Amino acid sequence: MEFDLQWLLLALPGVFLLGWVASRLDLRQLKREDSASPQAYFKGLNLLLNEQQDKAIDAFIEAVQQDPNTSDLHFALGNLFRRRGEYERAIRVHEHLLARGDLRRDDRERAQHALAQDFLKAGLFDRAEAAFKALEGTAFSTDSRLALLTLHERSRNWHPAIEVARQLEAAGTGSFAQRMAHHWCEVAHEADARGRHDEAEQALVRAREAAPQAARPLVMQGHRLVRQGQHAAALKVWDELMALQPQAFSLVAQDYATSAQASDGVPEALARLESLYKQAPSVDLLSALNRLQDEPARRRQRLINHLSNQPSLSAAQGVIRESLSTGVPLTVPEIERLQDALATAAKPLQRYRCAACGFESQHYFWQCPGCHGWDTYPPRRLEDQ
């Protein structure tokens, strides 16, 4: 017993010594690995900041090979591949991350989101949709729903887009009423194209319910009534548009005048157009007014007044057309108004434009102030090209 204890006491210091040596070797190995990985990482970051993406990718690949368990390096590498348009390589990087069993939950969700973006950029919309849906209930729920909404719109899948917009609005992301109104209008447009007119009517009703102040449903409803020959009903719809969205009414001003003539509602339409023109004058309203105005003198005076307040080529052309059609020569004040309108319209064309970057200037430059290129300005103004 004494013999065994003696040998045990002698062996203990040796065991402690071997353990100390082994720990020092492990620490040195760990330090070498830790120093090698950050060195390659910072090298890649420096190259990336210097816009040397090819060399940065090589540095990040080296860092990943030295420490394959570092997820941040994988994310950096995958994002670089996506930015360069190498979507297949980005997908492989993020799929490799998702295949790791030791990946933390937040990193797994981050990798799933990155993979969904890879699919979207690569044009793999079906796979992108599935990847974004897999993020429901995660920290990326809002981002994934916004991406899904854009994806459905690009694919013209209007009913799924409406559902996603509703979910976003219910989650407090913001108001998507106008967007949903556009979705329902697109549904109505496609239904009319297929001859499903009842379905189109219902879609426009839903559009009005989604956004009562929206202009597009009223514009479309009026046009549908015109195609059905119901001009008086179309005027009532567009009268509502005039009250709700006076700026947008210019989109249907010409059609409004046509329907007024077809339904014997010229006096009432003329009065409403004149009232709106005083609030928000535009060339479209001016043309609609003159279409309903029978007296050439009043049409001509309205055009001159418009030129005085808002010089435009369309109004100038109208004055010349009225003079030619009636045979009444232009007066000196009218010619002056035309000259002012032509000068205003010609001013943007009296410029030089850089052929390299598009920078425009009234003066010719041998070196472009925008891109600093030499001899990039053609020696001809825009109106001569």
Side-chain angles (χ1 to χ4, degrees), residues 15-219:
V15 171
F16 282 120
L17 179 62
L18 290 174
W20 180 81
V21 171
S23 66
R24 296 299 297 173
L25 290 174
D26 288 342
L27 285 173
R28 288 178 182 177
Q29 178 68 18
L30 182 62
K31 286 181 180 179
R32 281 198 297 269
E33 291 177 355
D34 288 344
S35 61
S37 178
Q39 183 178 3
Y41 177 79
F42 288 123
K43 177 183 177 183
L45 184 61
N46 182 56
L47 291 168
L48 184 61
L49 291 174
N50 290 326
E51 298 184 357
Q52 296 176 281
Q53 294 189 8
D54 292 333
K55 294 181 179 180
I57 287 176
D58 293 336
F60 282 129
I61 290 175
E62 178 186 350
V64 168
Q65 290 173 345
Q66 292 174 357
D67 189 2
N69 294 322
T70 304
S71 59
D72 286 334
L73 293 178
H74 285 78
F75 284 121
L77 187 60
N79 291 336
L80 265 179
F81 283 142
R82 191 193 311 130
R83 286 178 58 186
R84 285 177 52 83
E86 299 181 47
Y87 304 124
E88 291 184 4
R89 300 180 74 181
I91 290 170
R92 286 201 300 270
V93 169
H94 294 130
E95 284 181 336
H96 171 72
L97 271 174
L98 285 172
R100 282 173 47 181
D102 61 340
L103 198 64
R104 296 181 308 175
R105 179 178 177 180
D106 56 341
D107 282 341
R108 184 171 299 279
E109 293 173 358
R110 182 181 172 192
Q112 179 70 30
H113 184 251
L115 182 62
Q117 290 178 309
D118 297 337
F119 289 144
L120 183 62
K121 290 289 186 180
L124 304 173
F125 294 152
D126 291 341
R127 299 179 70 181
E129 181 178 351
F132 280 123
K133 285 182 177 179
L135 289 165
E136 189 66 32
T138 69
F140 294 94
S141 290
T142 299
D143 291 339
S144 64
R145 285 173 179 169
L146 289 170
L148 276 173
L149 181 58
T150 301
L151 181 59
H152 289 319
E153 288 177 344
R154 289 175 62 179
S155 304
R156 305 188 69 81
N157 295 326
W158 304 118
H159 288 288
I162 292 167
E163 182 59 31
V164 173
R166 283 175 177 164
Q167 292 173 359
L168 284 165
E169 195 166 83
T173 308
S175 176
F176 289 81
Q178 287 285 128
R179 208 154 170 174
M180 283 189 285
H182 283 296
H183 297 160
W184 282 117
C185 287
E186 292 291 342
V187 171
H189 179 75
E190 292 181 356
D192 267 332
R194 296 189 183 99
R196 302 174 182 173
H197 303 302
D198 291 340
E199 183 181 335
E201 182 68 29
Q202 281 297 112
L204 288 179
V205 171
R206 302 294 291 274
R208 291 298 311 278
E209 291 173 352
Q213 302 293 321
R216 188 180 179 187
L218 292 170
V219 171

